[in-house]
Amino acid sequence: MADYFYQPKAGHGLAHDPFNAIIGPRPIGWISTRGADGSVNLAPYSFFNAFNYHPPIIGFSSIGAKDTLRNARETGELVWNLVTRDLFAAMNESSAAMPYGASEFARAGVTEAPARLVRAPMVAEARVRFECLVADIVQLKSAAGGLVESWLVLAEVVAVHIDEALLVDGVFDMFGAGIMLRGGGATAYAEITPAARRDVKRPG
């Protein structure tokens, strides 16, 4: 096996940085927030995942101080909305750069729905939505201790909404929901399909 070696600080020397493609596909953090002045924001984040069971904690990284980060700081609330195949185009449209206060909901053609426990709106069309309270916001650092212009937002899930059609015998139908994932490169995405499923028992 030939080993392509590089040090990130010196550049990768390839047509596109392979880091994003290797760590993936990744869940999409489609985050809706409301600022202190009532401004609403909806934006997708490609660095997103779950970090704890009890309490359930999710997190996303804001590369640069964007509107979602501002709103999360101001109000301490957010909603994660599941991106499925039918909402893929809307999610992509909501990634456009817009002035603070402009509605990504309107641009994406999706509906604001009131949450039950937080003030941030939900995407009504999303088949799963997590209402969340911000637990921590951490500015990332390099190994040398230098601050990076990225912030990890960790949030506790305090309410869950699931389309009942996606519950089969009490189990969430992950492989039938049409969940979309972020791949590497500027345009790559993937879909979770039944054909991708593998069932393996853990040892011991």
Side-chain angles (χ1 to χ4, degrees):
M1 179 178 66
D3 185 25
Y4 187 86
F5 173 83
Y6 72 93
Q7 294 178 272
K9 65 181 179 181
H12 49 75
L14 300 170
H16 192 276
D17 190 339
F19 176 77
N20 290 4
I22 294 168
I23 307 298
R26 304 179 305 280
I28 299 170
W30 203 19
I31 309 296
S32 48
T33 55
R34 186 184 301 278
D37 66 354
S39 296
V40 168
N41 184 263
L42 176 65
Y45 287 83
S46 64
F47 288 118
F48 166 84
N49 221 307
F51 293 93
N52 196 54
Y53 278 124
H54 306 293
I57 293 175
I58 61 172
F60 67 94
S61 184
S62 176
I63 311 300
K66 299 178 180 177
D67 294 343
T68 302
L69 176 65
R70 169 180 170 173
N71 290 350
R73 278 174 166 161
E74 289 181 352
T75 65
E77 300 176 346
L78 59 90
V79 173
W80 172 76
N81 305 275
L82 178 66
V83 178
T84 47
R85 183 175 53 250
D86 56 316
L87 291 173
F88 178 72
M91 177 279 298
N92 188 53
E93 195 64 30
S94 72
S95 69
M98 298 176 65
Y100 185 76
S103 175
E104 289 87 2
F105 277 86
R107 180 179 180 121
V110 292
T111 310
E112 290 185 36
R116 293 194 183 188
L117 303 183
V118 303
R119 290 162 291 175
M122 307 184 296
V123 174
E125 294 82 359
R127 303 183 74 184
V128 179
R129 293 154 288 177
F130 293 166
E131 299 183 36
C132 304
L133 297 177
V134 174
D136 203 1
I137 299 177
V138 181
Q139 186 170 7
L140 302 184
K141 296 179 180 179
S142 67
L147 292 175
V148 176
E149 287 297 302
S150 296
W151 287 263
L152 174 63
V153 180
L154 296 168
E156 180 180 344
V157 179
V158 295
V160 177
H161 304 254
I162 304 173
D163 179 351
E164 291 186 358
L166 294 179
L167 296 174
V168 180
D169 297 326
V171 178
F172 178 73
D173 186 12
M174 174 183 180
F175 293 91
I179 296 173
M180 299 299 296
L181 306 171
R182 185 69 170 95
T187 61
Y189 290 83
E191 180 182 348
I192 297 177
T193 65
R197 178 169 179 158
R198 301 291 184 272
D199 287 284
V200 179
K201 291 184 178 179
R202 295 184 181 182

